[in-house]
Amino acid sequence: MREADIDDVDFLPVAEALIDWHKERINRLNLIVNSANDMKIVLQNDENDENSLTLEGRDAAIYKAGVLLCLSLFENFPLKIVETLVH
């Protein structure tokens, strides 16, 4: 992780939003990985998606393995906000 001192007060809300966005996506991926092995996985854009894809059995297991790989690569967000005291 790289460090940077940023005095721009406009950057803080952007950084916080990015961290929150990343955390929510990681939580969603963890839901998939931690789901029961016999559970179907439905991939769709929204509830009315006519082109949804349902994965079961071996296909669902392979998909979950791919999600686990993604988590291992992207789980730790490369940005952290640390408050420092300036003398």
Side-chain angles (χ1 to χ4, degrees):
M1 183 175 299
R2 299 181 71 187
E3 288 188 25
D5 292 328
I6 299 178
D7 294 326
D8 184 356
V9 294
D10 292 334
F11 179 74
L12 185 59
V14 173
E16 290 172 335
L18 282 171
I19 290 169
D20 289 343
W21 176 88
H22 180 263
K23 182 179 179 180
E24 175 58 31
R25 295 322 182 265
I26 293 299
N27 287 341
R28 289 182 187 185
L29 294 175
N30 277 316
L31 284 174
I32 294 169
V33 170
N34 295 324
S35 65
N37 289 334
D38 60 347
M39 189 171 253
K40 293 179 184 177
I41 298 174
V42 179
L43 306 174
Q44 60 189 38
N45 289 325
D46 57 41
E47 291 181 19
N48 300 319
D49 187 2
E50 296 177 9
N51 297 314
S52 66
L53 177 64
T54 301
L55 304 174
E56 308 180 59
R58 184 172 186 266
D59 292 335
I62 292 169
Y63 183 80
K64 285 172 71 169
V67 171
L68 188 60
L69 175 62
C70 289
L71 278 170
S72 72
L73 297 172
F74 299 109
E75 189 167 19
N76 297 318
F77 193 63
L79 176 66
K80 182 171 31 171
I81 300 172
V82 178
E83 187 174 340
T84 57
L85 299 175
V86 179
H87 298 298

